[in-house]
Amino acid sequence: MGDTLPHGAPEFRQTSLDMLRLACRRAASDMRRAPSFGLFFAGFYVLLGWILVRISLETGQS
């Protein structure tokens, strides 16, 4: 029990450029395999962002 991190927090490792390249390659592979799925969620998040901007502008708060 004494060797676990508080609250079960994960131990972070150093990020390398190779890890980022691998992530980008895998993301591109996913987009080639199922582009509609990725485009749907991208559109959803853009729409949600526009809604948040409109709310912020109308209320004068962020």
Side-chain angles (χ1 to χ4, degrees):
M1 279 294 218
D3 59 352
T4 61
L5 297 173
H7 303 290
E11 185 174 333
F12 294 108
R13 295 185 307 172
Q14 201 63 1
T15 303
S16 69
L17 193 55
D18 289 335
M19 289 173 140
L20 295 175
R21 286 184 185 132
L22 177 62
C24 287
R25 279 196 306 271
R26 288 182 178 177
S29 172
D30 284 345
M31 281 300 287
R32 281 191 301 273
R33 188 172 33 245
S36 58
F37 188 74
L39 293 174
F40 170 77
F41 280 101
F44 172 76
Y45 287 117
V46 168
L47 179 65
L48 187 62
W50 286 342
I51 291 169
L52 291 174
V53 166
R54 183 170 180 169
I55 291 170
S56 294
L57 291 175
E58 287 183 3
T59 63
Q61 300 180 23
S62 60

